[in-house]
Amino acid sequence: RKEVEQDPGPFNVPEGATVAFNCTYSNSASQSFFWYRQDCRKEPKLLMSVYSSGNEDGRFTAQLNRASQYISLLIRDSKLSDSATYLCVVIGVSEGGFKTIFGAGTRLFVKA
Amino acid sequence: DAMVIQNPRYQVTQFGKPVTLSCSQTLNHNVMYWYQQKSSQAPKLLFHYYDKDFNNEADTPDNFQSRRPNTSFCFLDIRSPGLGDAAMYLCATSPFSGRATDTQYFGPGTRLTVL
């Protein structure tokens, strides 16, 4: 089992749709969680951090469920510009400090 | 603007010919990371530095080495590139506050081609 697993993509949705991604992690001691966005042939960029209480940034809502060991990302009112790969990132403790693990990403295509 | 810079953006090398990729940052972050990302795959952490302390991931091949001469610069050396090393190499930095919540900031990456 991979340490971080994401929904297989791609997701093809029309503009204005609501879409949700899930990400599961295997290490119950994981400490921090993030969603990054990566455009084609570009570097990952932080979209938002994920907290147990949930957090919202405009059309984006992220949620953490520690008991079930998954995080989610909800995108409302999808825009064409939301088309990208969304990477789940989990940080846990390792011998050298903290260990960062990326999921393989979920690709989103938003169509006009 | 403060940023993470990687040079070159595109690098072509021959099979077995050593290559060095560079990363510099103006963020004054004391943690720097090197990732390898192959097409349609997750970025894979190769190693990272907390200041001068080097931390190698257990599954990083010996073919990959790194140097950090000062806070601002970090280099990735591939001693004998193989065809399987063709990938995007991403450098990232983060401030070390001792918390796992530190955000990582990525450079634009260097795309390595091995002929």
Side-chain angles (χ1 to χ4, degrees), chain A residues 32 36 38 41 43 46 96 100 103, chain B residues 37 42 50 100 103-104 107 111:
Chain A
S32 299
Y36 277 73
Q38 187 172 28
R41 304 179 78 86
E43 74 274 22
L46 179 67
T100 304
Chain B
Q37 187 176 26
Y50 283 107
T103 300
Q104 294 184 32
R111 186 166 296 278

Side-chain angles (χ1 to χ4, degrees), chain A residues 2-105:
Chain A
K2 292 181 181 178
E3 292 179 271
V4 176
E5 292 197 78
Q6 295 188 235
D7 280 349
F11 284 62
N12 293 285
V13 302
E15 268 188 299
T18 295
V19 62
F21 306 139
N22 285 328
C23 170
T24 59
Y25 59 95
S26 60
N27 185 352
S28 60
S30 297
Q31 299 198 0
S32 299
F33 309 87
F34 303 88
W35 283 102
Y36 277 73
R37 170 196 168 124
Q38 187 172 28
D39 292 290
C40 189
R41 304 179 78 86
K42 296 287 184 69
E43 74 274 22
K45 292 186 178 178
L46 179 67
L47 182 64
M48 57 199 311
S49 303
V50 190
Y51 307 113
S52 295
S53 56
N55 52 314
E56 186 174 314
D57 182 4
R59 298 181 293 107
F60 298 84
T61 301
Q63 195 80 42
L64 165 64
N65 185 318
R66 283 193 181 273
S68 300
Q69 294 182 208
Y70 78 85
I71 67 173
S72 63
L73 176 68
L74 182 76
I75 305 176
R76 291 180 298 277
D77 189 22
S78 299
K79 310 292 184 190
L80 294 177
S81 58
D82 293 334
S83 298
T85 297
Y86 291 84
L87 300 165
C88 166
V89 179
V90 175
I91 299 182
V93 177
S94 71
E95 286 185 10
F98 298 115
K99 180 176 181 179
T100 304
I101 303 171
F102 279 76

Side-chain angles (χ1 to χ4, degrees), chain B residues 44-63:
Chain B
K44 180 181 177 302
L45 183 63
L46 297 173
F47 23 60
H48 65 283
Y49 279 91
Y50 283 107
D51 292 323
K52 294 184 178 181
D53 293 333
F54 177 70
N55 296 275
N56 198 32
E57 293 299 304
D59 55 355
T60 299
D62 291 340
N63 196 28

